Amino acid sequence: APKEIAYFVAPVVAGGPPNGAYSSASFVPERKEIWYSDSDRGLYVLRVTNGAWGGTVVAPATAPRPVKPPVAAPPPAPGQLPATGLPWGLPVVALLLLTAVVGARRTRRT
């Protein structure tokens, strides 16, 4: 028997897309939080207050662990460019597809 205990209205951007929660909500009962993501605005972390969850809201018992900085890539060998992680095939295919779409549109207009 679901029961409404609280509500949240996400901020609306004038002229922007409508709000939409496109993921299943994740509940974190020990923190009295609800997590969900929006397709345009990212992650929302909602903390239920004013006893709506059934008690008072308390801070988490432990502090979050610090995030380790990423490890730097090794320097390239002399005379070589550094690796970017992006294969050459992907940009070439994207360029070919874009050229085909533009060419098809020009053909239709004439």
Side-chain angles (χ1 to χ4, degrees):
K3 177 176 118 177
E4 181 179 304
I5 60 169
Y7 66 91
F8 169 73
V9 179
V12 178
V13 178
N19 293 329
Y22 295 106
S23 68
S24 297
S26 294
F27 296 90
V28 187
E30 63 273 9
R31 295 173 61 120
K32 298 180 181 168
E33 292 177 346
I34 302 168
W35 301 358
Y36 80 93
S37 63
D38 182 298
S39 64
D40 289 317
R41 293 168 191 88
L43 176 70
Y44 284 97
V45 177
L46 308 175
R47 178 163 288 172
V48 180
T49 60
N50 300 331
W53 197 290
T56 58
V57 174
V58 294
T62 59
R65 290 181 284 186
V67 177
K68 293 181 182 179
V71 178
Q80 292 185 353
L81 295 174
T84 61
L86 183 63
W88 276 97
L90 183 62
V92 170
V93 169
L95 182 60
L96 291 173
L97 285 172
L98 179 62
T99 304
V101 169
V102 170
R105 286 187 178 190
R106 286 184 180 166
T107 304
R108 277 192 239 159
R109 290 182 187 160
T110 57

